[in-house]
Amino acid sequence: MRPPAQAMRLARLGAAHQTRLSFLRALLRQLRREGWRFARPLWRIDAEGYGTAVYEARGPQRTCSLVCFSHRLDPGKRTDRVIAEAWDATFALYDGVPDEAALARLAANVPRQEAGRYEATELVLLRANRSVRLFDAVVAALAAGRQPEVAELEAVGYLMRTTAVYGNGKFGLADRDRIAGRPEFANAYRAELLSVWLARSFTVDLAEHLAAVRDPAGAVPLAPALRRRLGVGNSTGLGMAPYLVKHPSLLHRWVAARETALARVRALPRAGSAKKDGFHAALARARRGVATWRTDDALQAERIVALADDLGRLAVAAPALLDGARPWDALYRHAEATLTLEGQEMTVGLLIEPHGALVDDLADTMQADEEAELAIDGTVACGAFAAAAAASHGWTAGFDFARPEAQARFWYVSEEKLEPRLGERAAEPGAELEQPLATARDIAALIRALGAAPAEEPLALFLLRHPEHRHAARRVAVAQRHPYGEIRDNLIGAAVRPIDLLRFKLACFGATRFDPRSDRWVRIALFQGAPFPAELAGEADEGWIWGPAAAA
Amino acid sequence: MIPSLNEVETIASRATRGAGRPWGLAEEAARAARWLARHGLPWERLADLLADDGIVAPVLEPGRLRPAGDGRLCPLRSGALVAEGGTGLLPLRLERVAVPLLLLPFAADLAHRAGRRIALAWPAAQFTCEPGGAVARAAGPVGQHDGSVDGVEIREAARSEAVLLPPTAPRRAPDPAALATLQQLARRTYVPATERSRREGAGAGLLDSD
């Protein structure tokens, strides 16, 4: 397995791509395997496109419902920021089938999002805004009896994008405890991603509805092949960034699952023709997908150009490598030696892709009982704990925190809607309230303090005297059993790119089309190319996520 | 307001930090508060602890944990010692502990880690924590709050006849005054917005024309 010193560098995390272990892929596999059925029992949308709709997902044991509200929104108020107060559409995933009383309660709260209150019957809360560019163009085309241009669809990739998706007890929603024992929701982010997938159907239905209102006789529905090209966009800012730091046992599980899958595939002695074909098919689709990956961000655009070049060279080198012994290992080593980080990380996904039978079980290992895993064993001696810290966190000694660049930034929570933000320590107020994301600095300080403690003193007594080192000690304790749980970089340094944190988590979700808007804001698509609910049962091939199939 | 467990954790963590405690103790407060909330116990008594000006450093002596000089022990710091220090520290008598109810989650944690039954008692209350996670209460209405208690005993225990706490209680509304105190303390951890922080601090534009 690739060691943490390699896998946990922030730049590599920031070059991550989806793999078959990504959450939305595992979700769709599960829904398909279990034969889930889908319906739209309520469509109360008026001629202007405003109102209420309900989408049902019926599993073998339970049903849940996405309740959707569509609103009139003043274009001047349309913003992706957490501090927004109005949206084009708001949604809640309801545990069961909502009656009129529940719908009324949701109608009074869901449109207010964070300002509403929710109950344990609501699992997920989310909202979305229209793509101004694409939504009206699609409605106009369909109303005129024609299909929108593929290039137009590809340029944006979605009709609406979500700007926040909440779960786990926020604002009174159900705590994770309520659903953690259910097979469909036991694993990471399943409920949230199910909500987004159902919302995708709503975005298309809404556009078709408005087209039909405009021209009842002449309007046409969106052609299935074109409809597949639409995912749900997502706009992510810093709100997501602290998560990876605050949940080290989860981060470890996510990385370990991928690294384990990679190691299993690399260990295979030979490659059969079916697996080779699967790899080449995914690579071909990936090359087409990369060719349609658009961004205005100069740095990412360069990376995409280099990635396209990487994949071209990979396609040339792969046949000979795959014919030999330990073919997948040879292919990986070749990528590591010759490709950019983006190329290497995409290669990881491509290598794993044809080996579902070998690795898909790992998708069920990506959840953690965090309460159990965050314990500090205070009976170990300080000397032994210091040695453990040196092994897991010796890399923190490589930063000179006396230099201003090493502490140039600070993470904090703003009074405004409690939005996480990143400030400049020297230029802005609030550093005394900084969040505990200065992991390298604080663990380096702990290691120094341990060096001054009696070697035989139990850690519990050291911590009794030094509560200021407790949070760093917990990180070190957790790291002993979770080697992939710590990002090995200085998160408060001048050079930190928060987008690398966002990108990694979004890749774990199964996002594609990373489109940075700054070093701390990124747009993505979820489910672009994916089957719609009625198509799910008939489609086993997961290649849709890599890119378009060969042009017709 | 009836908070979810996640909200209990968040309020407890931020309030503890807002009261000036280090983040590591804020994390302990969050987990302890969540545990109490899950068992239907008044976690919001954390507010009494955070409002207590007389909390002082702990001093450990054989069989005894006492405050240094006048003042009271912090149940979070003391509790962490109990949970992490192993059964070798027991039996342990804690003198002049503020809000001793906050010790209970830590006693339960020790029982689980050590695989032993642990008793936590003070004159008004007795609890027994089973290694499998169940917690039993004999004596003492827990609804009223014990502000500070002298002579909390933690020891390994024999079986006791007692009433089991529900492992998962329904959500309840906390005492509004205590909740308000905690929310006020939590607000101290938020940095007031400035025009610059609003523009540059978070990513995403203020206006969206995509």
Side-chain angles (χ1 to χ4, degrees), chain A residues 76 78-81 83 117 120 131-133 158 161 168-175 177 237-238 371 375-379 412-416 418-422 424 427-430 432-436 460-461 464 467-468 470-471 474 520-521 523, chain B residues 1-7 10 14 17 22-25 27-28 31 34-35 38 58-60 65 77-78 80-81 83-87 89 109 112-113 171 187-194 196-210:
Chain A
R78 182 176 292 114
T79 170
D80 284 1
R81 291 287 294 277
I83 55 179
R117 272 311 285 177
S131 163
V132 169
R133 287 181 283 162
Y158 50 80
R161 67 180 168 279
N168 191 18
K170 302 269 172 20
F171 318 112
L173 296 170
D175 287 292
D177 298 20
L238 277 186
E371 276 192 50
I376 298 173
D377 178 1
T379 62
Y412 65 97
V413 174
S414 171
E415 234 172 29
E416 267 187 321
L418 309 189
E419 186 184 45
R421 292 185 184 168
L422 189 63
E424 301 294 322
E428 298 179 56
E432 68 282 2
L433 296 172
E434 75 177 310
Q435 295 284 302
L461 299 196
L464 187 67
E468 70 277 15
R470 167 165 286 276
H471 82 270
R474 193 189 320 277
R520 58 194 69 183
W521 175 25
R523 291 249 182 100
Chain B
M1 189 261 228
I2 300 184
S4 65
L5 294 178
N6 182 276
E7 288 177 307
T10 302
R14 290 178 176 170
R17 179 70 188 121
W23 278 114
L25 285 183
E27 287 165 0
E28 297 296 345
R31 292 166 73 221
R34 184 192 179 105
W35 189 99
R38 191 152 53 80
V59 176
L60 180 65
L65 189 70
R77 249 168 116 166
S78 311
L81 173 72
E84 297 164 358
T87 51
L89 286 177
D109 189 4
H112 174 69
R113 292 185 197 212
R171 293 181 176 179
R187 278 193 283 279
R188 292 190 196 168
T189 66
Y190 310 150
V191 177
T194 62
R196 173 177 177 164
S197 78
R198 186 179 300 120
R199 239 184 20 250
E200 300 174 8
L206 283 169
L207 256 198
D208 204 313
S209 57
D210 179 45

Side-chain angles (χ1 to χ4, degrees), chain B residues 5 13-14 22 29 49 52 62 64 70 80 86 91 93 148 156 158 162 190 203:
Chain B
L5 294 178
S13 171
R14 290 178 176 170
L49 170 65
D52 188 334
R64 175 164 97 122
D70 286 339
R93 179 185 172 84
S148 131
E156 291 194 51
Y190 310 150

